[in-house]
Amino acid sequence: MTKNLLTVKDLTMRFGGLLAVNGVNLEVGEKQIVSVIGPNGAGKTTVFNCVSGFYIPSSGSVMFQGKELRGKPGHLIAREGMVRTFQNVRLFKEMTVIENLLVAQHIHAEHNMLKGFFMTPGFKNREQELMDRAAHWLERVGLIEFANREAGNLAYGQQRRLEIARCMVTEPKLLMLDEPAAGLNPNETKALDELIVQLRDEQGISILLIEHDMGLVMGISDQIYVVNQGEPLAEGTPAEIQGNPEVIKAYLGEE
Amino acid sequence: MSESIYYFLQQIANGLTIGSTYALIAIGYTMVYGIIGMINFAHGEVYMIGTYVAFIALAGLSMLGIDNPFLLIGIALAVSIVVASAYGFSIERVAYRPLRSSKRLIALISAIGMSIFLQNYIRLAQGSRDIAMPSMIKGGFLFGSPEGSHIMISYMQVIIMVTTVLCMVGLTLFITRSRMGRACRACAQDIGMTNLLGINSNNVIAVTFIIGASLAAVAGMLLGLYYGVVNPYIGFIAGLKAFTAAVLGGIGSIPGAMLGGLILGVSESLTGGYLTAEYKDVVAFSLLILILLFMPQGILGKPEVEKI
């Protein structure tokens, strides 16, 4: 077992009187693909929102590379190397495709405005680096010919790929994907499936996945966590989960 | 050309002069609204403070014996921009940032409170009477015959229009080309997502306030020199006019604010020229009401879409 990149312990999230997430634990090792599954409304996205700093969890701990991240502002969490996508794609729709990738590299950018103003060689080189990295990822996800198109005008599947590319240019250690296959056709889902595995194998990053598409999850996950009604139900390898009667009951109802 | 055409063109020129300063102030409203969705009602006071600082700097520099008008104006402008930026930054830090997550109405009330505070603070510090400044730049271009019908465009009007154009070009380059500008646009579209990509949106918001305040200071200095007079109350009406300009052009849109300012300035000037000067505010605010009734998104604005 490799050492853990992300360890979530006893994560609890309350909205007023509603207990949306109760005592969820997650462990993501290095170079692992880990999935969180569960029926609709099980609290999967809430778990995601808590881990990525979009919500501040009511209690529990989120350790990332040995650092406690609970309650840290979103931009610091991203700088630690954890980025995410959303279920409903959240691109900067009025900016061009390439600009979406440049904005995401703001953390790597040169911040000295004077240097920018006078266009010093160092500044230009950095700017070129950002462009190169953006172009590399556009090529990787097959969107290079759309670089100057407005992001909002891309087809849905392309927008999903752009969102993943936008995460990747920040050079994360953990990529969190919230239902990346939602709204994709079977061919696109298959391509996505391959892309996720390649990201792990070639870039050496870990991926935390929320997904409804069982085929996708079972095929690529190293570890699966099942959440039901905000509570942890089961965890294990795809084979273990497929054979777990509790999970089958939660998904299909009692016989 | 007949007399009436000269007269008309003169009104247009005067309108464009005033309109360009409205546009400069309006940009502060529209950029802040674009990013955090609130109306910074203290913005007019920043403009007023910009005028005061410029007057104080001009008086101080003349006492030091500097008498080159361009040097004087240049230094005073720089001082005014720096001080006004500090005000813009502090206003956001003190009055708005702590209320960022509360309801919009609460931030709005805080903005009005800040506006009243600043107005009265300047009144106490500088006195409530008009402070006058002798006009530094005299003369102008004359088109037509000096005795008969002609248009007179003063050098000051030329300076106002040229400076405004330079500011607009600079701002446009900043917004479209620079990294910070890119981050500003990203924040205006989806501030939560921008944060999750590692951009500290608080910094972006601070920069927005600083830019808005700088442009207001430029407008304050220029209009101060044009009218030659300042008092603690000029911020209120100028703020409302610029706000009208921003709404007219489509709040949240920078080109909209520029266009809105010019339209408002010209329509005011035409009212003054053909009806009576007393009615120009009536026209300005009637325009605001009409726009809100029939084109709530403004000329270049986009229809409001609920952000998720």
Side-chain angles (χ1 to χ4, degrees), chain A residues 49-119:
Chain A
N49 286 339
C50 290
V51 173
S52 62
F54 205 61
Y55 295 159
I56 298 173
S58 312
S59 67
S61 94
V62 179
M63 298 288 280
F64 186 68
Q65 293 187 304
K67 273 190 203 163
E68 177 60 67
L69 292 188
R70 184 172 91 91
K72 286 255 175 73
H75 71 272
L76 290 184
I77 292 182
R79 286 175 198 196
E80 290 293 335
M82 183 152 69
V83 288
R84 66 169 293 182
T85 65
F86 282 85
Q87 206 168 326
N88 47 339
V89 182
R90 281 175 73 170
L91 292 170
F92 303 119
K93 293 198 164 75
E94 287 158 32
M95 295 168 90
T96 63
V97 167
I98 192 98
E99 276 180 332
N100 266 276
L101 300 189
L102 292 175
V103 164
Q105 296 180 74
H106 196 81
I107 10 177
H108 303 303
E110 174 79 62
H111 282 292
N112 193 329
M113 282 213 213
L114 277 182
K115 280 191 195 165
F117 191 73
F118 293 111
M119 283 288 171

Side-chain angles (χ1 to χ4, degrees), chain B residues 149-160:
Chain B
S149 42
H150 62 263
I151 311 171
M152 173 78 180
I153 297 176
S154 70
Y155 292 137
M156 197 57 224
Q157 285 181 310
V158 175
I159 291 177
I160 290 179

Side-chain angles (χ1 to χ4, degrees), chain A residues 97-98 101 133-149 154-166 168-169 188 191-192 194-195 198-199 202:
Chain A
V97 167
I98 192 98
L101 300 189
R133 196 181 292 127
H136 167 79
W137 279 103
L138 280 186
E139 196 121 30
R140 195 74 179 65
V141 298
L143 292 173
I144 192 79
E145 66 263 47
F146 303 110
N148 292 317
R149 187 90 57 97
L154 292 182
Y156 194 69
Q158 294 170 331
Q159 294 197 10
R160 286 232 171 258
R161 275 182 287 154
L162 178 57
E163 209 181 20
I164 292 177
R166 189 177 63 179
M168 289 311 297
V169 294
E188 288 173 324
L192 179 76
E194 282 161 12
L195 179 64
Q198 281 168 2
L199 289 180
E202 291 166 19

Side-chain angles (χ1 to χ4, degrees), chain B residues 82-97:
Chain B
V82 169
V83 175
S85 300
Y87 271 96
F89 175 81
S90 319
I91 289 170
E92 192 269 327
R93 198 77 187 74
V94 172
Y96 306 150
R97 192 178 296 183

